[in-house]
Amino acid sequence: MASVPGIAKWPAQPLAGRVILVTGGGNGIGRGIAQAVLGAGGSVAIADRDQHGLDACLADWQVGQRALAVPLDVTAPESVEAGIARVLAHFGRLDGLVNNAGVADPHLPPLEAASWDDWQRGLSSLHGAFLCCRAALPALRASGQGAVVNIASTRAHQSEPHSEAYAAAKGGLLAFSHALAVSEGPAVRVNAITPGWVETADWQAPSRWSTPQQRPIDHAQHPAGRIGQPQDIGHLTVFLLSGLAGFVTGQEFIADGGMSRVMHYAP
């Protein structure tokens, strides 16, 4: 007589034995993701241009060989290739890539006053995802459980004045994610997370750390009742990197406390 499968236990450490590279991992959302990876049992390589931020992470974590700091500029092909090689030399494998690095400020001068360099800087997160995926894909395929998570932004769907390049980059990341998922499946899964308002003032290197300045109204405009924290994005990232998301690829996950679902009317 046939029977349905029994109750399966959830893994307490869903990333145990896996190695994850997080770009922009020295501060902010990237640091929150890296700490979530460590908490889920994984090993993490944090790549960042900010050496101070990298050093602060390792000093705070004290996890030995489970964490590696990699100075890396995601817009420079040679830096990316060297960084991936360093990760593989240290860990011997790579199972997941989180493309989080990019400019923090979404604003440019008005478009007619913006330079070509301004535009390219605004697109840095999209360029970085291309370069890092290109360098990492052979190792991710070889992993047998490879996964990519691209960190976009709700600015892919909503805008304010003079943020054209940033919005284009984040919208491009969403399209890049589903296209790469089709190209690389089933060996590598690819998904995107779209954060909304995430407070990162107290997730910075010591020289830039500050106390968050949030008003009650800032929290109240989120149906979840609060502004997001880096660990909120980290928890979702861990799920998407893990085997628990083995049937999930090519998708976008909006993590904004419900803010983009609220109707806004002028008073």
Side-chain angles (χ1 to χ4, degrees), residues 85-177:
R86 183 172 175 184
V87 173
L88 294 174
H90 181 85
F91 291 112
R93 62 183 298 136
L94 181 62
D95 304 290
L97 168 64
V98 182
N99 288 306
N100 168 70
V103 295
D105 183 2
H107 297 99
L108 286 178
L111 198 62
E112 72 276 10
S115 69
W116 180 247
D117 287 343
D118 289 331
W119 179 257
Q120 292 298 312
R121 183 180 63 84
L123 294 175
S124 61
S125 59
L126 182 58
H127 296 331
F130 160 70
L131 291 173
C132 290
C133 283
R134 185 178 67 173
L137 276 171
L140 294 173
R141 295 185 194 116
S143 159
Q145 52 194 6
V148 176
V149 177
N150 294 315
I151 305 301
S153 167
T154 49
R155 290 174 185 274
H157 303 290
Q158 300 170 303
S159 293
E160 59 183 350
H162 312 310
S163 61
E164 289 85 359
Y166 189 87
K170 296 306 184 179
L173 275 174
L174 298 182
F176 177 74
S177 297

Side-chain angles (χ1 to χ4, degrees), residues 34-89:
Q35 292 186 189
V37 168
L38 290 169
S43 296
V44 69
I46 49 172
D48 208 300
R49 295 191 302 177
D50 177 15
Q51 187 65 54
H52 187 33
L54 294 175
D55 293 343
C57 286
L58 296 190
D60 289 346
W61 295 341
Q62 293 294 307
V63 294
Q65 294 301 301
R66 286 182 59 209
L68 174 69
V70 182
L72 188 149
D73 180 353
V74 298
T75 66
E78 299 83 1
S79 179
V80 170
E81 295 284 348
I84 298 293
R86 183 172 175 184
V87 173
L88 294 174

Side-chain angles (χ1 to χ4, degrees), residues 196-201 211-229 256-260 262 264:
W197 187 346
V198 176
E199 177 57 68
T200 62
T211 301
Q213 303 295 319
Q214 299 166 351
R215 304 166 300 168
I217 193 173
D218 297 330
H219 294 287
Q221 60 187 309
H222 295 76
R226 63 176 176 84
I227 292 169
Q229 295 292 322
D256 71 345
M259 189 176 180
S260 61
V262 178
H264 295 278

